[in-house]
Amino acid sequence: MSDFKVEQVDSVASPPKARVQDVVEAPVERQRDYLSGFLSQKPTSDDPTQPGGALYDGIIDALKEIYDPEIPVNIYDLGLIYGVEVTEGGHAVVTMTLTTPHCPVAESMPGEVELRVSAVPGIATADVNLIWDPPWDPQKMSDEAKLELGML
């Protein structure tokens, strides 16, 4: 059978309570706010040629002013811009597509993009690469564009 021994007692002594003083040998300085070091940091200077930088954002703003003549949405939110690269010397390269190769503005849109981008302060030259692969599809549109067109 079992080898358990049963003993009846009237009371049990309480175990000792743990105290911080018993564990810590030297007092620990506690910071009031764990974000204090982070919040006191100064922002680092941003690279104007990267997303968030002045030149890059200026190009994106210029692209958002160009609208597709058939769809009331700008070409950036429409998903026609596949990439923007800016060098330190102010050279911009925009990689874009159109909704279809037979788009009525296939000849004029890349030229307009080049003119608008080269007009951004700080941009010396601009090139536009028109590509067809990968092809554009409505899934490339921003949520704002889909909402504007009643697709959400």
Side-chain angles (χ1 to χ4, degrees):
M1 300 240 229
S2 73
D3 293 329
F4 291 110
K5 182 179 177 184
V6 178
E7 179 182 349
Q8 188 168 351
V9 294
D10 293 327
S11 67
V12 176
S14 298
K17 294 184 177 182
R19 304 231 182 259
V20 175
Q21 300 91 316
D22 297 338
V23 178
V24 178
E25 296 173 7
V28 176
E29 184 180 325
R30 298 181 74 182
Q31 290 185 341
R32 183 168 178 85
D33 184 3
Y34 68 95
L35 290 176
S36 62
F38 174 76
L39 295 175
S40 66
Q41 290 178 354
K42 300 292 181 209
T44 59
S45 62
D46 59 347
D47 184 355
T49 63
Q50 296 300 313
L55 286 177
Y56 187 92
D57 287 351
I59 292 171
I60 300 302
D61 291 342
L63 293 171
K64 286 184 175 184
E65 292 177 359
I66 305 171
Y67 284 80
D68 185 291
E70 298 174 326
I71 305 171
V73 176
N74 69 67
I75 64 171
Y76 187 81
D77 288 332
L78 198 54
L80 299 179
I81 305 301
Y82 285 175
V84 174
E85 296 176 26
V86 187
T87 65
E88 290 292 333
H91 178 70
V93 178
V94 176
T95 304
M96 67 174 292
T97 192
L98 297 171
T99 52
T100 68
H102 305 292
C103 182
V105 293
E107 291 182 20
S108 62
M109 183 67 73
E112 183 176 357
V113 169
E114 184 177 338
L115 284 173
R116 295 276 185 112
V117 170
S118 62
V120 172
I123 298 298
T125 58
D127 290 325
V128 176
N129 296 328
L130 186 61
I131 62 172
W132 302 107
D133 189 37
W136 178 86
D137 67 78
Q139 295 304 315
K140 294 187 181 340
M141 295 188 328
S142 69
D143 288 342
E144 292 82 10
K146 290 177 184 176
L147 185 63
E148 179 74 26
L149 296 174
M151 298 174 72
L152 278 182

